[in-house]
C-alpha cells in the first residue's frame, strides 16, 4: 500500500510564505504524476498544481507566479512552495500521487494539512 503524509501547514500573515511537504512511503516504485489540491469551507476541491515532468507543469490561474510544485526523488517527497500568500489561499491542502505499485497503477491521497492566511 502507498501512504502519503503532508506537513508544513499553519498560520501565516498575508504576504508570507510556507513550504508544504508530502512524504511518500509504501509499495510504489514509479511515480507518473504528482499534484496538490485544496478545499476551503463551503467550496469544492480544486486543483492547485500538477507535475508530470519538468516540461509538463500546470498551475491554476489564482496561484501562477506564486506557487511552485516540485519533488525530491531521493527523499520520496513532494513539495509545494507558496509565496506571497493571500487570505483566499486559506484551505486544506492535499497531496495526490499517481504511480505504479505492487498491484499496478495507483492513485493515493494524503489526509491534508491546514493553511490559514490571516493578519
Amino acid at each position: 500500500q502507498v501512504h502519503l503524509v503532508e506537513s508544513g501547514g499553519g498560520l501565516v500573515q498575508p504576504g508570507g510564505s510556507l513550504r508544504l511537504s508530502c512524504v511518500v512511503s509504501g509499495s510504489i516504485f514509479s511515480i507518473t504524476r504528482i499534484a496538490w489540491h485544496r478545499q476551503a469551507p463551503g467550496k469544492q476541491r480544486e486543483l492547485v498544481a500538477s507535475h508530470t515532468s519538468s516540461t509538463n507543469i500546470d498551475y491554476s490561474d489564482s496561484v501562477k507566479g506564486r506557487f511552485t510544485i516540485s519533488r525530491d526523488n531521493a527523499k520520496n517527497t513532494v513539495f509545494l512552495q507558496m509565496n506571497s500568500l493571500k487570505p483566499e489561499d486559506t484551505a486544506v491542502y492535499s497531496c495526490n500521487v499517481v504511480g505504479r505499485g505492487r498491484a499496478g497503477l495507483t492513485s493515493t491521497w494524503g489526509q491534508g494539512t491546514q493553511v490559514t492566511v490571516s493578519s
Side-chain angles (χ1 to χ4, degrees):
Q1 296 182 7
V2 181
H3 302 279
L4 308 180
V5 180
E6 298 102 332
S7 63
L11 176 64
V12 65
Q13 295 184 8
S17 299
L18 285 174
R19 185 177 181 86
L20 305 183
S21 299
C22 174
V23 178
V24 183
S25 63
S27 302
I28 188 168
F29 45 83
S30 179
I31 296 175
T32 59
R33 180 181 182 272
I34 60 173
W36 286 93
H37 295 74
R38 67 185 181 186
Q39 186 169 22
K43 298 182 179 179
Q44 296 188 62
R45 185 175 63 189
E46 65 173 331
L47 176 65
V48 175
S50 64
H51 175 281
T52 303
S53 69
S54 60
T55 58
N56 188 12
I57 302 174
D58 295 309
Y59 298 95
S60 68
D61 290 338
S62 62
V63 307
K64 285 182 179 178
R66 300 188 298 119
F67 290 11
T68 303
I69 186 172
S70 63
R71 61 170 166 167
D72 186 332
N73 292 330
K75 297 182 178 180
N76 296 318
T77 304
V78 180
F79 301 101
L80 183 67
Q81 178 67 47
M82 305 185 295
N83 299 323
S84 302
L85 284 163
K86 305 175 181 179
E88 51 263 42
D89 295 320
T90 297
V92 174
Y93 286 72
S94 300
C95 180
N96 172 236
V97 173
V98 176
R100 187 161 298 279
R102 185 174 292 109
L105 192 66
T106 64
S107 178
T108 305
W109 292 84
Q111 292 186 314
T113 183
Q114 177 71 48
V115 173
T116 302
V117 185
S118 176
S119 60

